[in-house]
Each structure stands twice: as structure tokens, then as C-alpha cells.
Amino acid sequence: MRFLLCQLCLLVLVLNSISAQVNNSRSCERHCGNISIPYPFGIGRGCFLDEWYEVQCNNSVPFLPKIRKEVVQIDLPGAAILERGPDAVPFGFLRVKTKIVSMGCDGRGDGKEVLDFTETPFSISIDNKLVAFGCNHTATLMHVEPRIVGCVSSCHLSYLSKGSTDECAGYQCCSASTPRDDFFKVIGVKIESNDSGSNRCAVAFLTDELAQPSLPWDSNTSPEWFHERKYSTIQLEWQIQTRNLLLGESLGCGTINPEVPVTLNEFQSRPCYCGRIQRSDISDDIGYLKCACTNGYEGNPYDVQGCKVSSWSSTS
């Protein structure tokens, strides 16, 4: 009985805390330049969930100081769909700028870069690709063992037969997909010359921008162009990292638990759902929580009563 009372008191305290945060967040600035900053991210004291989601707006440029990355875009998670089973609750997505790896371009690049999001609520999306530009270089991903992921960019004319000049198919430009069957907190990019003693410029990077019409993704683009640009954008997945796994209940959301199936009627009775995930990369008393509006609702699942019946659902 005493345990239940303690749990009830804790839930009340959490609910009051979350309500206060949401009330504060409604008076917060929710844009930095032309980029939307939805809760749990926020600008200024009382406007974000915790330090991982603090955004500094510097001259209309959003920056996450905790991971030292400039923000390009923040997306709330899509709809939770029961038919997806344990993966019913999707991640939110975050696009940030990251360094382009180079060698032979200015005499300073060492050809390596490691992205490490260990002990953070962020992970590296499988929708990124490894891309390299240059002549006779091999680009590889690090920290994806036991897999071997890489590609060869060559200036040998035989590589033209593998694809047209507007594709990164091997001729002066190559690409490779990240492994799609795992969860990555750490990943690295490395580029190496296949010509002994060569000091020609070459670049490699992980990106979610491949085939974007605004960028010159073809073999006629020089590696110097990307080197001068200095950055690429990558896509990260985000969720809530917390010691308080009652957070979902305080938001009014149901819980997706693979061990306790939810019926369709139960699922449709809640405007949002949260999924609990335990990871080995953080301490045992901290878990991950990802929340999403239920299919048929829209809004922000991290705001109290933030998910409303979607306009298309209410009119159909």
C-alpha cells in the first residue's frame, strides 16, 4: 500500500512538473530563423525538457551545444501505427551539419572523422549514405563491425560503364548504404588513397542529402567543391532519455509493450502512445522513451494533450 502511495505521489509530481514545462513552453520562441523548434527542444530557460534539447539561437542559426552541432531541421515523430508491432512508435528526426572528411585538399585533412552519440538521446539514422568524391580513393565506414561498408571512387574510364556521369556509381564519385539492420550510436568515415604517394584532393562524408536537386551530385563535381563547403548534413533519430519512465503516463499516452499486446480498440482510445526502450550504452537507471500521436491524430506528443484529431480524419 505504501509503495502504491509513493508511486501515486511521484506521478502527481511528474504531472505537475510536465504541465508547468508545457505552460512555459507555450510562451517560448518556437522558431530560430526559419527553422521550427518543437518541444522537447527549446530556446531559453524553461523552454526545453533538459540540457540535451537546449537550442541556442545565434544570429538566426540554431545550435545544440550539448552535442556541438548546428541544426538544419527538427521533425516530430510520425503516427504510431499498431500494425507495426513493437515498432509501432516511430522516432523523431533531427538533421544536423557535420564535418566533411578530406585528404590531399589543403594539407591538413587526416582522412578520418568519428561521430559519437554514446549516452545521448540521439542515434544515427539508417537513411544516411556514405559518399566519396575523388580519383582512386576508397571510402569506408568505421565502427560498423562485423560488416564491411565502403566504396571505390576511380578515374579509370572502365567505371563509366557502371553508371552514367550523373550517378555516384564509381567514376570520380561513389556511394554506399549504411547497414539497415542495427542501431548505431558511433560511426566513423575514413578515406584512403589507392595511389601510393598521391596527394590529390578527395573527400568522403555521411549524408542524408544524396540526390537532393539543390546539390551537384554527379561525377563532374570536383572534391574541392565539397571541401570548400566544409559540411554535409546527416539525419539523426531522437527520443527522450530519462530516469522517469512514468513520463508517458503523465502526458496522457498509452504504453506499447511487446510483452503485453494492445487491442485495436484500446489503441484507438488513446491520442498518443509511448514505447520504452532499454539500451546498454547508458546506465541501468536511465531508459529511453519515444512517443507519437496515434494514427488519426496529429500534433506534438510531448505536450500534454498535444495530439488532436487530425483534420483529414475528422472530415472523412
Side-chain angles (χ1 to χ4, degrees):
M1 183 66 178
R2 181 177 297 174
F3 175 76
L4 291 175
L5 288 174
C6 290
Q7 289 289 88
L8 181 60
C9 291
L10 178 59
L11 181 60
V12 170
L13 288 172
V14 170
L15 183 59
N16 289 338
S17 173
I18 296 297
S19 298
Q21 286 176 320
V22 172
N23 289 334
N24 288 338
S25 74
R26 287 173 181 162
S27 62
C28 295
E29 177 56 53
R30 285 293 156 201
H31 284 83
C32 179
N34 61 356
I35 297 174
S36 176
I37 312 294
Y39 192 81
F41 298 88
I43 304 167
R45 186 175 180 181
C47 295
F48 49 86
L49 180 63
D50 61 40
E51 59 186 1
W52 291 112
Y53 309 95
E54 178 185 5
V55 175
Q56 294 177 351
C57 189
N58 304 320
N59 298 318
S60 298
V61 176
F63 185 78
L64 285 169
K66 189 67 176 175
I67 59 171
R68 301 185 299 279
K69 298 294 181 187
E70 181 181 330
V71 176
V72 176
Q73 184 176 333
I74 302 173
D75 290 329
L76 289 167
I81 301 174
L82 180 62
E83 287 77 7
R84 293 180 182 171
D87 296 321
V89 182
F91 292 95
F93 290 102
L94 172 70
R95 296 180 68 218
V96 298
K97 289 184 179 181
T98 189
K99 177 183 174 183
I100 285 179
V101 176
S102 68
M103 66 178 303
C105 299
D106 58 9
R108 291 180 295 180
D110 62 359
K112 295 180 182 179
E113 176 74 2
V114 175
L115 297 167
D116 189 348
F117 296 99
T118 305
E119 297 187 351
T120 81
F122 310 111
S123 56
I124 297 152
S125 169
I126 61 174
D127 291 327
N128 296 295
K129 282 198 171 185
L130 172 67
V131 182
F133 284 82
C135 287
N136 304 326
H137 285 79
T138 297
T140 54
L141 289 180
M142 301 182 290
H143 304 287
V144 296
E145 295 81 1
R147 303 161 190 81
I148 298 174
V149 178
C151 67
V152 176
S153 177
S154 174
C155 289
H156 197 282
L157 291 179
S158 64
Y159 278 75
L160 279 172
S161 63
K162 297 183 179 181
S164 64
T165 57
D166 61 352
E167 297 174 341
C168 282
Y171 182 69
Q172 300 186 121
C173 172
C174 69
S175 64
S177 298
T178 52
R180 304 190 68 84
D181 59 348
D182 210 339
F183 173 89
F184 291 103
K185 284 286 191 176
V186 183
I187 204 165
V189 175
K190 178 173 67 173
I191 189 166
E192 299 172 290
S193 174
N194 296 332
D195 290 337
S196 178
S198 173
N199 61 353
R200 286 187 289 188
C201 179
V203 297
F205 47 94
L206 200 63
T207 184
D208 67 338
E209 293 182 290
L210 190 63
Q212 288 291 321
S214 60
L215 293 175
W217 297 110
D218 61 65
S219 60
N220 295 316
T221 305
S222 70
E224 286 85 358
W225 188 93
F226 286 97
H227 177 67
E228 291 174 7
R229 191 186 188 217
K230 298 186 185 305
Y231 72 89
S232 65
T233 64
I234 62 167
Q235 186 183 84
L236 305 179
E237 298 171 333
W238 64 267
Q239 55 198 322
I240 296 297
Q241 183 174 292
T242 180
R243 286 185 171 84
N244 171 32
L245 292 177
L246 293 175
L247 178 63
E249 284 86 343
S250 69
L251 291 168
C253 300
T255 300
I256 295 290
N257 185 341
E259 298 176 0
V260 183
V262 179
T263 67
L264 184 60
N265 286 337
E266 289 176 312
F267 187 78
Q268 293 175 333
S269 69
R270 294 272 196 155
C272 56
Y273 271 84
C274 296
R276 298 177 181 177
I277 307 172
Q278 206 70 39
R279 296 290 187 193
S280 60
D281 61 299
I282 54 176
S283 60
D284 293 338
D285 61 337
I286 297 178
Y288 288 124
L289 198 69
K290 55 178 183 174
C291 304
C293 296
T294 308
N295 192 32
Y297 291 79
E298 59 187 4
N300 189 341
Y302 296 102
D303 278 345
V304 175
Q305 299 180 342
C307 295
K308 310 293 183 184
V309 175
S310 61
S311 54
W312 63 265
S313 177
S314 61
T315 57
S316 59

